[in-house]
Amino acid sequence: MAKDKAEPVFEEPEFDEKEFLRSEKDRAKGIILIFIIGALLGLLSGYFLTIGLWYFAVLLFFVIALFLKQIFGVLGVPLPKRGSHWFYLVMEYLIVWLVFWVIFLNPPLSVASGPQISSPQFQMAGGTWQTLNQSGSNTYVIYGGYYDLGVHVSYMKPITSYSVSESFSGKVYSLTSAYNTTSGYVTFGLVNGKEISQTYPADMTITVSSGSASNSMSFTLI
């Protein structure tokens, strides 16, 4: 029997506007929830990194990812019906987590690097500081005299500890040092200041810390 030529080949389904709006609203809720979870976890991960627990941050990321469906259920947010929607949400979760992790590690929230230490300086009679003359790569000259030396330290957080050591003729000396919170200088005196020369150089190491963030600088005096 021949088909009726008037019969349509394809009948377009009726568009349900209410169902479409409800579905888009549910998707929007999921996107917002994933953004909040990723942002909070990213900031927390940045904190874990600053205290040396970066591996815990990565572990927490995967644990949260495994329980995303349960989190959606507990918060009453409808689960995505399509696999592609889940894929987009997981990608959003990953990207937001990484972005906010990086944000936490940068000023003004945090500084990933340790305190910055200047080149060694000596204090002149008037109290001003002058950088020592450099006589090569990381080598400074004190002209065989005894100087009250110092380095300027800068950091966005308070300095919590500092130390200065001098290695001279095979022996290591822990030097007496002081930190001036107003000027930002760590000052110290040399045990063998008068004997130091090109023949008998002194290897210096200065370490400054602020909480878990620290930085060291080594140089040679001749």
Side-chain angles (χ1 to χ4, degrees):
M1 181 177 178
K3 292 184 178 181
D4 187 356
K5 293 182 178 181
E7 182 179 350
V9 177
F10 172 76
E11 185 175 347
E12 183 178 356
E14 183 179 352
F15 176 69
D16 190 340
E17 183 178 359
K18 290 184 178 180
E19 177 63 23
F20 173 78
L21 293 176
R22 186 187 65 79
S23 176
E24 290 301 303
K25 185 178 180 180
D26 292 342
R27 285 188 61 189
K29 290 180 180 179
I31 292 173
I32 295 173
L33 177 60
I34 287 294
F35 181 87
I36 294 174
I37 294 175
L40 293 177
L41 184 59
L43 295 175
L44 184 60
S45 297
Y47 171 74
F48 284 142
L49 179 61
T50 60
I51 61 175
L53 298 177
W54 63 268
Y55 50 88
F56 189 74
V58 175
L59 177 63
L60 188 59
F61 169 82
F62 286 106
V63 170
I64 296 295
L66 290 175
F67 288 94
L68 278 179
K69 289 186 178 181
Q70 288 79 356
I71 294 174
F72 270 64
V74 170
L75 297 178
V77 178
L79 297 173
K81 297 180 180 179
R82 298 181 183 179
S84 60
H85 292 171
W86 268 117
F87 174 77
Y88 294 140
L89 289 180
V90 171
M91 288 298 99
E92 178 194 3
Y93 172 60
L94 172 62
I95 294 172
V96 172
W97 173 63
L98 290 175
V99 167
F100 276 84
W101 189 341
V102 173
I103 289 175
F104 185 89
L105 297 178
N106 287 273
L109 296 180
S110 180
V111 177
S113 60
Q116 301 301 304
I117 306 174
S118 73
S119 300
Q121 304 175 38
F122 68 94
Q123 193 168 28
M124 302 178 68
T128 59
W129 289 92
Q130 179 69 40
T131 301
L132 291 173
N133 291 332
Q134 196 163 359
S135 176
S137 178
N138 215 29
T139 301
Y140 298 86
V141 182
I142 61 170
Y143 301 112
Y146 181 90
Y147 293 107
D148 287 328
L149 303 180
V151 292
H152 186 265
V153 177
S154 58
Y155 200 57
M156 65 175 295
K157 296 181 180 179
I159 300 301
T160 54
S161 64
Y162 49 90
S163 64
V164 183
S165 65
E166 172 190 344
S167 177
F168 181 78
S169 296
K171 295 183 180 180
V172 178
Y173 303 89
S174 180
L175 304 183
T176 300
S177 57
Y179 174 65
N180 189 313
T181 57
T182 303
S183 65
Y185 275 88
V186 173
T187 57
F188 54 94
L190 299 172
V191 173
N192 302 284
K194 294 182 179 180
E195 291 78 23
I196 293 173
S197 64
Q198 288 185 333
T199 305
Y200 299 100
D203 294 321
M204 310 295 300
T205 299
I206 300 174
T207 301
V208 182
S209 301
S210 175
S212 60
S214 64
N215 190 20
S216 295
M217 182 182 69
S218 299
F219 56 91
T220 299
L221 293 178
I222 60 175

